[in-house]
Amino acid sequence: MPPRAKKAAPTNENATLAVSAKANVDVNAVMNERKVLAEKNTALENQIDELTKRLTEVELSKTQTEKKAKKFEAEVKTLKKTKGFTPSFEGIQVSKIEGDTKSVSKKDESKPKQPATAYLLYCNAHREQARAANPDVSFGDLTKVLSEMWKTVGEEEKSTLEASLTEDRARYQGEMVKYNKEQDTKKEEDKALEFLHSKQEQELAMQLLKQYQAFVKENQEGEDGAKPGKEVDPNKPKRSLTAFMFFSTETRKQKIDQGVPIAFAELSKLVGEEWNKLSAPKRKKYDKLAEADQLRYAGEMEAYTSKKAAEMEAAKAVEATRLTSDKAAAAKLMVEHKKEGEAMKLLKEHKKVEQASNKAARDEKKAKKAARAGMPKRGATAYLLWCSANRANVKERHPEASFTDMTKLLAEAWKTISEEEKAVFQAHAEVDARRFHTEMAAYKEEHGESSSMMESGMSSVSGSVAGDEEVSSL
């Protein structure tokens, strides 16, 4: 038997390919497994979110139910306390009054629609064109495309679009004027209705309170059967006893002292029977006691009535004194109120006078200023003319000098120039002075005495004016 041929050993290249193929298979399997797990996790998260949402809704519903139950329980307790109290709304006109419900803000449908803009008109006109050129873009990306297109629009086309909006803007402005007037009217009506409802609520509350107080007063009785709240005067004399009452008191005491075993009701019945059997001579004793007690009661009641009458008169006198005092205080308060009103009126009038005086002063100042503005310009001095001629040269030599330093440099330089050079500028100053006097004479002739007053007023500040001109020219 011939020997078997040995299998060829795999080359390195084949081994590498095999390992790579196996690795690719493992990676794909892992990726697929991860993708499945991610989908499951997403589904679980969605389920958890849905369950959490439902649980929250259940908890809210439970809380609301508990609140309603507590409110209903409180109402039941209140109804039990009233013991059948039924209010009457007869004669009470109450409009429908809303409860304490929170108003939800809604869009006002009656408000005019705002006018379109040039950009919006352009987008509406070119949206289909942009969509056709970019069919795969989303709505947000399409808006960006339109925005970029708008940036390339020329000013002429934009002006045309703006002009087309004139009518729509005029429409909006007119409708807004009408809308604002309607809203103002509605606000006034709502305010009036709110005041009416508040007043009706107060009247209703007072009416129901009075009804409930009357209900309680009628249904609650004291232990002795008397209506509660009834005041009993302890000083009032006790009513007189009858002959039977004297007999009953004496007989009861005798029976109790004898130790007769009998109930209270039976004892009262026994006393009544004995009274009926009592002869007329024996009754005279009790009749006399009753007559004496009647005299006692009559005398005490007369004294009591006199005392009560005196107390009432005294109370009336105190009340009259208090009323007189209140009227005096009210009159004094009214006088003070009137004085305060008059003082405020005088203060307002004083302020008006003060404001008018200030206004007159301001107007006078403005008039003087205007008059001065029309007057001829005063002639310049030799020093001012020299500074105007030499300022550029000094500035060139001292470029970093400030305004104040320039003034000092010019002043020092003026002191160093010769008299001949100064005479040149003095001659120019004399010419300018003659010019001023000539123009001033013509001005006076045109404006009369007011110009003389203005000139005298200006002469007091001529130095400062000249200084101001000098400073301004520097």
Side-chain angles (χ1 to χ4, degrees):
M1 184 173 179
R4 294 180 180 180
K6 293 183 179 179
K7 294 182 179 179
T11 63
N12 292 334
E13 183 178 357
N14 292 334
T16 303
L17 291 173
V19 171
S20 177
K22 184 176 180 181
N24 289 335
V25 171
D26 293 341
V27 169
N28 291 333
V30 171
M31 292 297 294
N32 291 332
E33 185 178 355
R34 288 184 178 180
K35 185 176 181 180
V36 172
L37 288 174
E39 291 176 353
K40 288 183 179 181
N41 288 336
T42 303
L44 287 173
E45 289 177 356
N46 292 335
Q47 290 180 1
I48 291 172
D49 291 341
E50 183 66 25
L51 290 174
T52 304
K53 184 178 178 180
R54 290 183 180 179
L55 180 60
T56 304
E57 291 177 353
V58 170
E59 290 178 350
L60 289 174
S61 177
K62 182 180 178 182
T63 303
Q64 293 175 354
T65 304
E66 290 177 352
K67 288 182 178 179
K68 289 181 179 179
K70 289 181 179 179
K71 184 177 180 181
F72 179 73
E73 184 179 354
E75 291 177 353
V76 169
K77 288 182 178 179
T78 303
L79 289 174
K80 286 181 179 179
K81 288 180 180 179
T82 59
K83 299 179 181 179
F85 170 64
T86 304
S88 173
F89 295 93
E90 184 178 355
I92 304 176
Q93 294 182 356
V94 183
S95 303
K96 182 180 179 181
I97 301 173
E98 301 294 338
D100 297 334
T101 55
K102 294 183 180 179
S103 58
V104 181
S105 58
K106 296 181 180 179
K107 183 179 179 181
D108 190 357
E109 299 295 338
S110 63
K111 190 173 184 179
K113 184 179 179 182
Q114 290 189 354
T117 62
Y119 172 70
L120 185 60
L121 290 179
Y122 177 82
C123 290
N124 292 336
H126 295 80
R127 182 171 284 103
E128 295 301 328
Q129 177 185 349
R131 191 183 297 278
N134 303 273
D136 298 330
V137 298
S138 61
F139 179 81
D141 293 335
L142 183 62
T143 303
K144 294 179 181 179
V145 171
L146 288 168
S147 177
E148 294 298 327
M149 292 172 61
W150 171 254
K151 294 178 181 178
T152 62
V153 176
E155 293 298 328
E156 184 177 355
E157 186 176 354
K158 288 183 178 180
S159 300
T160 304
L161 291 171
E162 289 288 344
S164 65
L165 294 172
T166 304
E167 183 177 354
D168 191 29
R169 287 172 179 168
R171 183 270 314 165
Y172 175 73
Q173 292 176 356
E175 291 181 355
M176 278 302 297
V177 171
K178 182 179 178 182
Y179 172 79
N180 290 332
K181 289 182 179 179
E182 292 175 351
Q183 290 298 309
D184 292 340
T185 304
K186 186 176 181 299
K187 287 180 180 179
E188 292 295 329
E189 291 175 350
D190 292 343
K191 189 175 181 180
L193 286 174
E194 183 180 357
F195 178 75
L196 174 64
H197 292 166
S198 176
K199 186 176 180 181
Q200 289 177 342
E201 286 178 347
Q202 293 176 1
E203 292 177 354
L204 175 61
M206 290 302 299
Q207 187 68 19
L208 293 178
L209 178 61
K210 290 180 180 179
Q211 292 181 16
Y212 183 71
Q213 288 175 343
F215 168 80
V216 172
K217 187 175 180 180
E218 291 176 359
N219 289 274
Q220 289 184 348
E221 294 186 356
E223 295 180 357
D224 55 352
K227 293 183 179 179
K230 185 178 180 181
E231 295 182 359
V232 179
D233 189 356
N235 298 322
K236 188 175 182 180
K238 292 185 179 181
R239 299 184 68 86
S240 59
L241 300 177
T242 62
F244 171 73
M245 290 180 178
F246 280 106
F247 173 78
S248 176
T249 302
E250 182 180 327
T251 305
R252 284 174 183 275
K253 187 175 181 304
Q254 291 175 357
K255 299 293 184 185
I256 293 173
D257 292 341
Q258 293 173 2
V260 179
I262 190 171
F264 181 82
E266 293 294 331
L267 180 59
S268 299
K269 184 177 179 181
L270 180 62
V271 170
E273 292 175 353
E274 290 184 1
W275 172 257
N276 292 330
K277 295 176 181 180
L278 194 65
S279 62
K282 292 184 178 181
R283 283 192 180 189
K284 287 182 179 181
K285 170 187 174 182
Y286 303 105
D287 291 337
K288 289 180 179 180
L289 291 173
E291 291 174 1
D293 198 36
Q294 286 179 358
L295 293 174
R296 186 271 313 166
Y297 176 71
E300 291 180 356
M301 276 301 296
E302 184 178 357
Y304 174 79
T305 306
S306 300
K307 184 179 179 182
K308 290 294 291 185
E311 290 176 354
M312 290 181 64
E313 290 297 329
K316 287 181 181 179
V318 172
E319 180 64 19
T321 303
R322 186 195 62 79
L323 182 59
T324 303
S325 177
D326 289 348
K327 287 181 178 180
K332 183 179 179 181
L333 185 63
M334 183 58 68
V335 171
E336 292 177 356
H337 179 69
K338 288 182 179 179
K339 287 182 179 179
E340 289 179 359
E342 292 174 357
M344 289 299 296
K345 187 176 179 181
L346 291 174
L347 181 61
K348 289 181 180 179
E349 291 177 355
H350 177 72
K351 286 184 178 179
K352 288 182 180 179
V353 172
E354 186 178 1
Q355 290 174 357
S357 177
N358 293 337
K359 185 177 183 301
R362 289 195 298 270
D363 293 342
E364 184 180 359
K365 189 175 180 180
K366 288 180 181 178
K368 289 182 179 180
K369 186 176 181 181
R372 286 197 299 270
M375 291 178 67
K377 187 177 180 180
R378 190 175 294 276
T381 62
Y383 172 70
L384 182 59
L385 293 173
W386 181 84
C387 288
S388 299
N390 293 274
R391 183 178 296 103
N393 295 331
V394 175
K395 185 67 177 176
E396 185 177 356
R397 292 196 301 271
H398 305 278
E400 297 179 356
S402 63
F403 180 82
T404 305
D405 295 336
M406 281 290 296
T407 304
K408 292 179 180 179
L409 291 171
L410 286 167
E412 293 296 331
W414 170 257
K415 294 177 181 178
T416 60
I417 66 174
S418 63
E419 293 297 328
E420 292 79 5
E421 188 176 357
K422 285 183 180 180
V424 175
F425 290 98
Q426 287 173 353
H428 288 297
E430 291 175 359
V431 172
D432 197 29
R434 287 194 294 272
R435 185 268 315 160
F436 170 72
H437 288 300
T438 303
E439 293 180 356
M440 194 64 194
Y443 182 83
K444 288 180 181 179
E445 184 177 355
E446 182 181 355
H447 294 84
E449 295 181 359
S450 61
S451 61
S452 299
M453 294 176 64
M454 290 302 299
E455 183 183 7
S456 62
M458 287 189 65
S459 62
S460 62
V461 293
S462 59
S464 63
V465 172
D468 291 342
E469 291 177 350
E470 180 180 341
V471 171
S472 61
S473 63
L474 291 174

